[in-house]
Amino acid sequence: MSLITSVMDHSLDDGYAEAAARKKAEGVAGMPRTLRAKLGLAVGLVLAALVVTVGAAQARVAAPVVAKEREELIDRIEGETSAADELEESVDELRADVGARQREALAKSGDGDRSDLVGVLAGAVAVHGPGVKLVVDDAEDVATDGDGQPRGTSGFSDTGRVRDRDMQRTVNGLWESGAEAISINGQRLTALSAIRAAGDAILVDNRPLVPPYTVLAVGDGERLSTRFQDSADGLYLHALQESYGIRTALSVVDDLELPAAPSVIVRTAQPITEKGTS
């Protein structure tokens, strides 16, 4: 009877009982993990949708403000640009007025022939006459040298870009070859003119020029052309053309017209009076 009672009371082996209990525990514990994962995913999607919605709403609210600020900035830029243009026009008018008064004073300062000659040499009056036209331009394919830098300050380690020193040598060569008056892109040169660089731009009397650079020189055309091409500066320009592709074109012109310089400012020199004092 005790065996029957034991079998009835313990119908499953202890090992089977433990396995059944473990499986039941795993099933009960597994369901919450799956549910938590699903809930976490749902919460994440809801939060993402909320962030997108809030961001879109903020963008819609901020868009008019950004557009308004942009329009205000554009208006300010246009206003300042217009004001700068007006100031530049005013400066040009004043410079022209000063130049006209200087030329008038120069005409009254002595005899006509001498004052005309002084005016021509000083660049204070417009001139015309035979001469040469020299056009200097960058190479067609302007590149940089091995280290990515533009032409150095010495030698010909260069790209094909015309530099300020090239124009300086060109102008000096024309003066030495007999030029009586010179202009670059319509800017008349005087004894006080300066050719400088600002970045890649060439400045003549602080006015930027853009290539091609057209140099007009009044003088004995044929002689001026020959002497310039045979000069050291003419050979320098030819070397730039041969080695770096800088384009040049020199021609003799029967009649050139050069404008007067905007103004001739003398800060130090004083005229000598008849008594020998200024």
Side-chain angles (χ1 to χ4, degrees):
M1 292 297 291
S2 61
L3 179 59
I4 295 174
T5 301
S6 176
V7 170
M8 294 297 294
D9 292 339
H10 305 283
S11 58
L12 296 177
D13 184 80
D14 292 339
Y16 284 106
E18 292 178 1
R22 186 169 60 253
K23 183 176 181 180
K24 182 178 180 180
E26 290 177 353
V28 173
M31 289 181 63
R33 285 199 297 269
T34 303
L35 182 59
R36 285 197 299 270
K38 291 181 178 180
L39 287 176
L41 178 61
V43 170
L45 292 175
V46 170
L47 289 176
L50 181 61
V51 170
V52 171
T53 303
V54 172
Q58 290 179 344
R60 286 195 298 270
V61 172
V65 177
V66 174
K68 183 179 179 181
E69 292 178 350
R70 182 174 181 274
E71 291 177 358
E72 291 177 351
L73 181 60
I74 292 174
D75 291 339
R76 287 181 59 188
I77 293 174
E78 292 178 348
E80 295 297 332
T81 301
S82 178
D85 291 340
E86 292 179 358
L87 289 175
E88 185 173 358
E89 291 178 359
S90 177
V91 169
D92 290 338
E93 292 176 358
L94 292 173
R95 184 181 289 113
D97 182 60
V98 170
R101 292 176 182 272
Q102 288 176 335
R103 289 188 289 274
E104 182 180 356
L106 182 63
K108 296 178 180 179
S109 63
D111 60 88
D113 294 338
R114 182 181 178 185
S115 63
D116 289 343
L117 177 60
V118 172
V120 169
L121 296 178
V125 296
V127 297
H128 75 93
V132 297
K133 176 181 178 181
L134 174 61
V135 180
V136 184
D137 198 359
D138 295 337
E140 292 185 3
D141 298 322
V142 177
T144 55
D145 58 16
D147 59 2
Q149 298 296 324
R151 191 188 320 174
T153 58
S154 63
F156 288 111
S157 57
D158 189 17
T159 70
R161 191 182 300 279
V162 179
R163 314 303 286 180
D164 58 328
R165 64 178 173 274
D166 303 328
M167 298 309 300
Q168 290 171 2
R169 293 200 60 167
T170 298
V171 169
N172 289 336
L174 288 170
W175 284 126
E176 292 177 0
S177 299
E180 300 171 1
I182 298 177
S183 69
I184 303 178
N185 285 16
Q187 295 294 315
R188 179 73 174 277
L189 302 184
T190 70
L192 302 177
S193 295
I195 301 175
R196 294 289 184 267
D200 287 334
I202 295 179
L203 307 181
V204 174
D205 293 336
N206 294 322
R207 292 195 173 191
L209 304 181
V210 295
Y213 306 103
T214 301
V215 183
L216 302 180
V218 173
D220 186 337
E222 294 292 344
R223 183 183 180 189
L224 182 57
S225 175
T226 301
R227 293 185 63 179
F228 174 73
Q229 293 182 76
D230 293 338
S231 68
D233 296 314
L235 295 175
Y236 170 87
L237 193 61
H238 181 71
L240 292 181
Q241 181 180 11
E242 292 294 323
S243 301
Y244 305 103
I246 287 179
R247 293 167 287 177
T248 64
L250 179 65
S251 59
V252 178
V253 182
D254 293 334
D255 190 35
L256 297 171
E257 293 187 5
L258 276 63
S263 63
V264 180
I265 302 174
V266 179
R267 299 183 176 87
T268 305
Q270 298 294 330
I272 298 177
T273 64
E274 295 180 358
K275 297 180 180 180
T277 58
S278 58

